[in-house]
């Protein structure tokens, strides 16, 4: 599976989209619905009306990449439906993609180590 690299911004569109849309249709939604540039490397995650499907769109430097996933026996955990998008960190995204509850994933708070003298 093509997973975004560490440090890449991941945005989840909170409103369901028409899943008949392909690369160009989703890129147009990124621009119109989210007011973002689809060609920056940001990973955009879209949900279907049925919560069991997601599409991922991102620019890899040479073309738009789209991935589709359908869960067979459950649904994805989605943020509440509203305008715009929300940001997930990589761990939350991986949990969502695996069908887990991403809201339970928290980043470790690591303090900057002191330099030993």
């Amino acid at each position: 599976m093509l997973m975004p690299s560490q440090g890449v911004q991941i945005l989840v569109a909170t409103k369901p989209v028409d899943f008949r849309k392909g690369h160009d249709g989703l890129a147009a939604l990124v621009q119109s619905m989210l007011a973002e540039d689809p060609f920056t490397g940001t990973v955009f995650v879209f949900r279907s009306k049925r919560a069991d499907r997601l599409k991922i769109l991102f620019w890899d430097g040479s073309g738009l990449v789209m991935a589709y996933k359908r869960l067979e026996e459950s649904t994805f955990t989605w943020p509440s439906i509203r305008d715009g998008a929300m940001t997930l960190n990589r761990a939350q995204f991986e949990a969502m993609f695996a069908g887990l509850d991403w809201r339970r994933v928290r980043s470790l708070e690591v303090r900057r180590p002191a330099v030993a003298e």
Side-chain angles (χ1 to χ4, degrees), residues 20-36:
R20 294 173 293 184
K21 292 190 182 302
H23 297 76
D24 295 331
L26 291 177
L29 283 179
V30 167
Q31 291 175 322
S32 65
M33 203 169 85
L34 305 178
E36 296 283 342

Side-chain angles (χ1 to χ4, degrees), residues 76-113:
F76 291 102
T77 301
W78 292 103
S80 57
I81 296 174
R82 62 180 198 273
D83 286 336
M86 65 168 295
T87 302
L88 293 183
N89 64 38
R90 184 184 169 118
Q92 290 170 324
F93 171 78
E94 288 177 358
M96 173 188 268
F97 193 81
L100 303 173
D101 187 349
W102 58 269
R103 297 171 299 185
R104 297 178 180 265
V105 177
R106 300 278 182 256
S107 295
L108 292 176
E109 301 224 2
V110 179
R111 287 184 287 145
R112 185 174 178 178

Side-chain angles (χ1 to χ4, degrees), residues 41-58:
T42 298
V43 174
F44 299 97
V45 182
F46 298 93
R47 65 172 289 177
S48 64
K49 288 180 184 167
R50 296 198 282 176
D52 65 340
R53 299 151 201 249
L54 66 73
K55 280 189 177 180
I56 300 165
L57 182 76
F58 66 95

